[in-house]
């Protein structure tokens, strides 16, 4: 059972189980959504997903991506733009999935990454006041409301909980703002190469219980006086 606040959508929202309420919410404005529609026209080969409070709206069919969403209990909605009546937290663009899962850095060519690098430059040059590009994984990009991010929200949440020390764990490039904001950051041994070699403390793999291994390490330090 979830008994602590949860940071969602790369820092765009915080949901608290006590009272079932959202206490932090950064959403994409109408102007930002108009910019995303224009960006999609320039990159028609990529799938767009709008992550909202009520639905996960998709543009561009991809059976493997849909299977990935279904694995995590997310229903893909294909209703289009016309009846979009939801609070949208983030917009994500994806290359067609090659399996029911994300590609890793070592599996991705420079040519495959080019459209996402171009989109990031386009956002920073034309839509910087509206959108913040985040490269979560290879062959995808997320566009957040400008000014929000995992690092800022994690630090806010630490303060909200009365904690002076912020520990964070992450395994992908979109976690870098959070990992660098932390007083100590941990990565699983199976982390994406985009976050390795940067001085973060290595923990057990995700399958072996990353967070549990971190708790054990911190407990060991405390008992040892470290």
């Amino acid at each position: 059972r979830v008994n602590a606040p949860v940071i969602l959508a790369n820092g765009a929202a915080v949901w608290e189980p006590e009272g079932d309420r959202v206490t932090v919410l950064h959403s994409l404005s109408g102007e930002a959504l108009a910019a995303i529609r224009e960006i999609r026209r320039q990159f028609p080969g990529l799938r767009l997903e709008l992550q909202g409070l009520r639905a996960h709206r998709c543009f561009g069919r991809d059976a493997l991506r849909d299977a990935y969403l279904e694995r995590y209990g997310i229903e893909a909605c294909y209703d289009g733009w016309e009846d979009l009546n939801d609070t949208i937290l983030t917009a994500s663009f994806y290359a067609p999935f090659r399996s029911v899962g994300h590609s890793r850095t070592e599996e991705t060519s420079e040519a495959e990454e080019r459209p996402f690098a171009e989109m990031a430059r386009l956002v920073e040059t034309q839509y910087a006041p509206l959108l913040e590009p985040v490269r979560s994984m290879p062959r995808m990009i997320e566009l957040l409301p400008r000014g929000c991010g995992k690092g800022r929200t994690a630090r806010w949440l630490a303060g909200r909980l009365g904690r002076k020390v912020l520990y964070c764990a992450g395994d992908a490039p979109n976690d870098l703002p959070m990992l660098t904001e932390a007083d100590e950051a941990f990565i699983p041994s199976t982390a994406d190469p985009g976050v390795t070699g940067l001085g973060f403390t290595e923990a057990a793999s995700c399958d072996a219980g990353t967070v549990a291994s971190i708790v054990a390490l911190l407990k060991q330090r405390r008992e040892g006086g470290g």
Side-chain angles (χ1 to χ4, degrees):
R1 187 177 66 85
V2 178
N3 61 2
V6 180
I7 296 175
L8 303 169
N10 272 333
V14 173
W15 172 77
E16 300 199 26
E18 184 179 349
D20 186 20
R21 58 200 180 110
V22 175
T23 52
V24 172
L25 180 64
H26 300 273
S27 61
L28 293 168
S29 66
E31 191 177 0
L33 289 170
I36 289 165
R37 292 189 73 169
E38 177 57 34
I39 292 168
R40 184 167 188 261
R41 280 192 281 269
Q42 298 184 46
F43 297 88
L46 301 179
R47 169 179 166 120
L48 167 64
E49 295 180 9
L50 301 178
Q51 300 177 24
L53 286 180
R54 292 191 292 273
H56 197 94
R57 191 159 298 208
C58 305
F59 302 84
R61 297 277 177 173
D62 184 342
L64 291 174
R65 173 66 184 170
D66 285 350
Y68 177 83
L69 293 176
E70 185 179 0
R71 174 188 288 176
Y72 295 101
I74 301 171
E75 181 180 357
C77 169
Y78 287 95
D79 286 345
W81 290 94
E82 289 68 25
D83 61 346
L84 182 62
N85 183 22
D86 195 357
T87 300
I88 304 301
L89 308 181
T90 67
S92 305
F93 286 88
Y94 299 85
F97 267 35
R98 295 188 291 226
S99 63
V100 184
H102 288 279
S103 299
R104 290 176 63 87
T105 299
E106 65 269 22
E107 303 168 342
T108 308
S109 69
E110 184 178 341
E112 290 176 307
E113 283 291 277
R114 192 170 298 124
F116 302 99
E118 291 174 359
M119 189 182 296
R121 286 194 295 271
L122 175 66
V123 169
E124 292 291 5
T125 55
Q126 295 191 28
Y127 303 111
L130 300 171
L131 301 168
E132 186 125 11
V134 176
R135 295 302 312 276
S136 297
M137 296 291 286
R139 305 176 75 243
M140 71 164 292
I141 190 171
E142 292 176 86
L143 305 182
L144 279 67
R146 176 61 69 173
C148 80
K150 274 188 176 181
R152 297 184 189 96
T153 305
R155 182 61 72 179
W156 175 89
L157 182 56
R160 167 88 167 75
L161 299 173
R163 305 296 179 179
K164 295 181 179 179
V165 179
L166 175 64
Y167 295 108
C168 291
D171 65 352
N174 66 312
D175 294 318
L176 282 171
M178 179 181 67
L179 295 172
T180 55
E181 174 66 29
D183 296 298
E184 184 174 2
F186 300 85
I187 57 172
S189 58
T190 50
D192 186 270
V195 298
T196 60
L198 300 176
F200 304 131
T201 303
E202 187 172 304
S205 69
C206 293
D207 291 341
T210 305
V211 174
S213 73
I214 294 168
V215 171
L217 174 61
L218 296 175
K219 182 179 179 182
Q220 182 181 24
R221 288 180 186 173
R222 175 178 291 183
E223 292 174 347

